[in-house]
Amino acid sequence: MDEDEFDAFYNASFRRVCAQVYAMIGDSDEAAECVQEAFARAWAHRRKLSSVDYPEAWVRTTAYRLAVGRWRRKKYAGRVTDRAVGVRTVMPAVDETHVALVAALKKLPEAQRQAIVLHHIADLPVHQVAAEVGAPTGTIKARLARGRATLAELLADEAPGAVWKEA
Amino acid sequence: MSDPISRLDQFRADTPGAPMKSAAEVRRRGDQIRRRQRVLVTAGAAALAAVVAGPIIFLSAGFGERANDPTPAPQPSETPGTITPSPSGSAGPSTLTRAGLPVAKDLVAPLEASWVETETYDGEGSDAYNPCLTTTLGESAAEAAFRRDFAIGPSLNAEADDYGMMTAVVAEFRSPEAAEDIRADLSTAAAACTPLDATPAGSLPVAGGVISRGDINVVTYVSDEPGANARPEVATAVVVAEDRVLVLTRQRGAKEQVSPEFLQTSLQTSAVNAAHRMAGAEPPAPPESPASSGSSGSPGSSPATSSPGSSAPAAILSDAHLVAAGSLPGLPMEGESSAVWQQIAPQSTPTLYCQGAWLSSLKAAESVSREFRLENGGSQLGKVNVTVLEFATKPAADAAYGTVQGWLDACPASMHNAKLFIARPVESIETGTTPGVDRAAQALAEYAGDCGGEDCDATWYDHQTVAQLGTRLVLVTHAEAGGPCPPTRACPPEEASDYIEWDNRVAQTVQAAVGRAVEDLS
């Protein structure tokens, strides 16, 4: 992957992957920083990335792992996380309905949330979701069904205009 | 609109805008990551080569000031067999010859291995045999100097890197006072080891027979080798006998199979033997080739106790004081519950991650230790290290408890090379054993797991415990791997209950290990 190919890949995928990771972790600032770092790692490992079938999936998975790792260190160790990319970026205001959706997603068990985001937001077919998370397709279908049902209940309960707050 | 699918579709269509750095900035960051990885790999390869190939590598790899020392070594043809002339030498001709150098049988090797001579020099050789020393013995006005290098010989149970390499240099000075001055300078330099920015790991005296004065200083330093779990070590024995000085250096790589306690006491015995050889005296007794220590031994013992025929007091501690693998708790996580704890050969990694020095520095009268690992599909999921220490007096045990608690509190982790994420505060705990202990404290340390040099979020979570009952101390580590989440069922863990099973496993290990160690005191 040369510079032009990487730049095209980055420009085409960054916002999409950011939205997906945001939906998975519920923190848009953190999502943007982790995705940025994941792309940097993708460039560092570009030779390996060239042999990957779905580079965007590689970046998404890396960003998600970075985000969960940061969350764990921040939450469990009670300290500020490392900022590998640089100063914290200031994010634009997020649509309130999206905030409520992300808040509802955050209440789902992680496996269901991941399946929902990959299938409905990343628009991956079930078999690709299965490949990305390392689970059988039947398991993914079950997670999707249960996740959608729970999400419907959560969204039905939401107060109009409710704003998500971090737990 | 509460239909989840339409809400999700809408979310995807809107794709909330996130500010982007330019692609060029991201590539620069990627290049930065890549450069760092290259540096690590190169430095790691150099360090490994130095350990395997011998001291000559230190010259080309640039370790310490000595690596740039242009002082040429005397050639054999210039000094056939005996004296290296010194420009400032005022005394008569030296009587030191190559016969003053130790031979392989003088040096103690663990397991079934033995040291073999690899090269002998008239003079100190042209390369730095000890990276901590910044001046040569020739520069210190030695009348004569000789050097012999050793490597570990074939062994059924060991790799060469397990023991590293040994170099002996003997030198003669114009007077015993001059020799003592040099010994003091070399000992100070070995203890500080400024060229490596090293951390002291302990010291031991060397005494007996013809020896006027001597000591061993052990330091460890940060290796650039990616994935190294333990810090490389330089142990330097400097011993004076009359007007002669012995410098015995052992350097070890990052991963070893033999207990540090044994290696330190074996160097002590080797130094005594080598010093007697240097002085032309009979060594106290031929060294044994003892079995691997670490399961038992006396870290603070003198060389005489390593010799056959000495009458040591009956041991209090034995393997019976050590917990068995069957008493350790299994891991309940999905896919891990079938893995079982295995007792392994003693490692030279510290019992506690936060240790500030080898346990021999606590000067216990007796020590026994045991280690366990839990693996699943080639991945290491758990580690348990246990050491039981018996002290001669209660005040000595109290002092050692204070030292260990200080390590847990400050977590110098100077015996470990893995990056510390955080050390949690030390807390007093109950062990639930019979008999009960006088006191016990525990602290959690999180540090980077080894991913073979690759970026990853693997993390070790070490619960380190120290417990005291009378003159006995028990040190226990219960470590589990996590990443990106702690070793809990949920990822990320969202409830306090997620941690309960983990806490129970730690408590079970501590109770089993401490209970077994103090059982005979009830």
Side-chain angles (χ1 to χ4, degrees):
Chain A
M1 183 179 281
D2 62 22
E3 288 188 5
D4 290 341
E5 287 170 334
F6 177 83
D7 291 0
F9 167 50
Y10 173 74
N11 289 322
S13 303
F14 177 79
R15 287 206 159 85
R16 188 164 54 234
V17 178
C18 264
Q20 294 158 8
V21 175
Y22 165 45
M24 285 190 199
I25 68 172
D27 183 328
S28 54
D29 290 355
E30 197 75 2
E33 289 184 7
C34 290
V35 173
Q36 208 108 61
E37 178 69 5
F39 270 105
R41 291 186 185 193
W43 176 249
H45 299 287
R46 55 189 175 278
R47 193 175 298 170
K48 186 165 74 180
L49 201 68
S50 300
S51 61
V52 169
D53 287 339
Y54 302 102
E56 190 170 302
W58 188 95
V59 170
R60 180 170 51 240
T61 303
T62 302
Y64 179 63
R65 287 179 181 164
L66 283 169
V68 174
R70 285 179 174 204
W71 178 91
R72 187 249 312 149
R73 283 175 201 147
K74 187 165 59 176
K75 181 90 172 179
Y76 191 63
R79 66 168 202 162
V80 178
T81 52
D82 294 329
R83 296 291 168 195
V85 173
V87 295
R88 196 173 177 86
T89 48
V90 178
M91 298 292 291
V94 181
D95 185 307
E96 202 171 87
T97 57
H98 295 332
V99 171
L101 173 66
V102 171
L105 280 169
K106 200 163 184 290
K107 291 178 181 169
L108 295 181
E110 190 208 6
Q112 291 178 20
R113 180 170 65 237
Q114 200 177 17
I116 293 271
V117 169
L118 291 175
H119 184 61
H120 290 287
I121 296 180
D123 207 19
L124 299 183
V126 169
H127 73 272
Q128 275 191 26
V129 176
E132 192 160 329
V133 304
T137 52
T139 304
I140 298 300
K141 287 176 185 172
R143 288 176 185 171
L144 285 170
R146 287 183 199 143
R148 281 192 298 258
T150 310
L151 201 57
E153 287 175 22
L154 290 167
L155 292 172
D157 290 345
E158 79 181 26
V163 176
W164 172 75
K165 290 178 182 172
E166 190 173 357
Chain B
M1 184 174 60
S2 61
D3 169 30
I5 294 178
S6 59
R7 292 281 289 271
L8 291 162
D9 288 344
Q10 189 63 44
F11 184 93
R12 184 180 68 230
D14 288 354
T15 307
M20 290 173 69
K21 288 183 185 299
S22 72
E25 280 180 281
V26 173
R27 278 191 275 107
R28 271 198 295 278
R29 163 73 184 147
D31 290 337
Q32 200 179 23
I33 294 169
R34 195 170 180 78
R35 271 197 302 275
R36 178 172 156 67
Q37 285 176 338
R38 280 186 182 146
V39 168
L40 286 172
V41 169
T42 306
L48 185 62
V51 166
V52 171
I56 197 163
I57 301 297
F58 285 110
L59 181 67
S60 54
F63 280 73
E65 294 175 30
R66 287 290 303 279
N68 299 319
D69 185 350
T71 309
Q75 298 302 308
S77 59
E78 298 168 37
T79 55
T82 55
I83 305 164
T84 305
S86 164
S88 59
S90 57
S94 168
T95 56
L96 184 65
T97 67
R98 283 186 171 197
L101 286 166
V103 295
K105 70 174 184 178
D106 295 334
L107 308 178
V108 182
L111 298 173
E112 297 170 9
S114 58
W115 292 99
V116 293
E117 299 166 21
T118 55
E119 193 152 6
T120 300
Y121 307 78
D122 293 328
E124 296 171 71
S126 58
D127 56 307
Y129 57 86
N130 185 313
C132 297
L133 305 181
T134 54
T135 54
T136 66
L137 292 170
E139 289 165 350
S140 304
E143 304 270 308
F146 299 91
R147 166 177 157 184
R148 181 164 287 156
D149 295 342
F150 300 86
I152 205 73
S155 165
L156 292 175
N157 301 323
E159 297 291 335
D161 288 357
D162 295 344
Y163 318 104
M165 55 196 180
M166 187 95 86
T167 299
V169 175
V170 294
E172 188 171 275
F173 293 84
R174 68 176 183 277
S175 67
E177 292 75 22
E180 169 54 25
D181 289 346
I182 297 304
R183 186 210 63 78
D185 290 346
L186 293 176
S187 177
T188 302
C193 197
T194 47
L196 293 180
D197 193 21
T199 305
S203 64
L204 292 169
V206 179
V210 299
I211 293 169
S212 309
R213 199 163 177 184
D215 59 18
I216 296 170
N217 286 289
V218 185
V219 299
T220 65
Y221 59 96
V222 175
S223 165
D224 288 332
E225 186 183 349
N229 284 325
R231 295 163 63 104
E233 176 191 280
V234 181
T236 309
V238 187
V239 183
V240 63
E242 289 290 318
D243 55 356
R244 294 179 179 178
V245 172
L246 162 74
V247 181
L248 193 60
T249 304
R250 190 195 57 222
Q251 297 180 61
R252 293 194 290 143
K255 292 179 178 175
E256 301 91 2
Q257 303 297 320
V258 184
S259 85
E261 318 298 353
F262 172 76
L263 285 165
Q264 290 192 26
T265 52
S266 68
L267 186 60
Q268 216 174 19
T269 306
S270 301
V272 170
N273 293 332
H276 281 75
R277 179 80 60 184
M278 174 179 72
E282 193 66 24
E288 287 184 310
S289 186
S292 169
S293 181
S295 61
S296 65
S298 303
S301 63
S302 69
T305 60
S306 304
S307 304
S310 62
S311 56
I316 296 171
L317 298 180
S318 70
D319 282 356
H321 292 86
L322 294 166
V323 68
S327 303
L328 301 176
L331 303 189
M333 263 79 78
E334 191 178 352
E336 299 176 353
S337 53
S338 58
V340 294
W341 290 98
Q342 302 280 355
Q343 186 184 333
I344 60 163
Q347 306 288 297
S348 65
T349 45
T351 301
L352 308 174
Y353 171 85
C354 289
Q355 246 172 261
W358 293 121
L359 297 180
S360 58
S361 65
L362 298 175
K363 302 197 186 317
E366 288 183 46
S367 162
V368 290
S369 60
R370 189 170 276 180
E371 300 178 31
F372 305 87
R373 297 290 182 268
L374 191 143
E375 292 186 359
N376 189 28
S379 300
Q380 220 170 67
L381 303 174
K383 298 185 281 192
V384 166
N385 304 331
V386 180
T387 294
V388 185
L389 301 166
E390 180 69 28
F391 290 84
T393 63
K394 178 74 163 45
D398 290 344
Y401 184 93
T403 301
V404 176
Q405 194 172 27
W407 288 340
L408 297 185
D409 191 33
C411 198
S414 47
M415 315 308 296
H416 226 285
N417 206 20
K419 179 187 171 192
L420 174 69
F421 292 147
I422 188 138
R424 305 275 285 177
V426 185
E427 294 174 350
S428 293
I429 61 161
E430 303 287 335
T431 60
T433 55
T434 305
V437 296
D438 298 337
R439 53 182 171 167
Q442 190 174 77
L444 171 66
E446 292 180 31
Y447 57 93
D450 178 8
C451 295
E454 293 292 317
D455 286 326
C456 71
D457 287 315
T459 302
W460 279 107
Y461 297 82
D462 283 23
H463 278 89
Q464 311 155 96
T465 304
V466 55
Q468 182 184 7
L469 179 53
T471 55
R472 192 164 299 172
L473 254 57
V474 189
L475 278 52
V476 186
T477 287
H478 174 108
E480 291 187 34
C485 294
T488 48
R489 283 182 189 268
C491 183
E494 292 174 351
E495 305 289 339
S497 60
D498 288 331
Y499 294 98
I500 288 175
E501 283 187 351
W502 184 19
D503 290 343
N504 287 343
R505 292 195 295 278
V506 175
Q508 192 179 332
T509 296
V510 170
Q511 184 166 1
V514 176
R516 185 68 177 264
V518 300
E519 209 170 38
D520 60 321
L521 301 179
S522 56

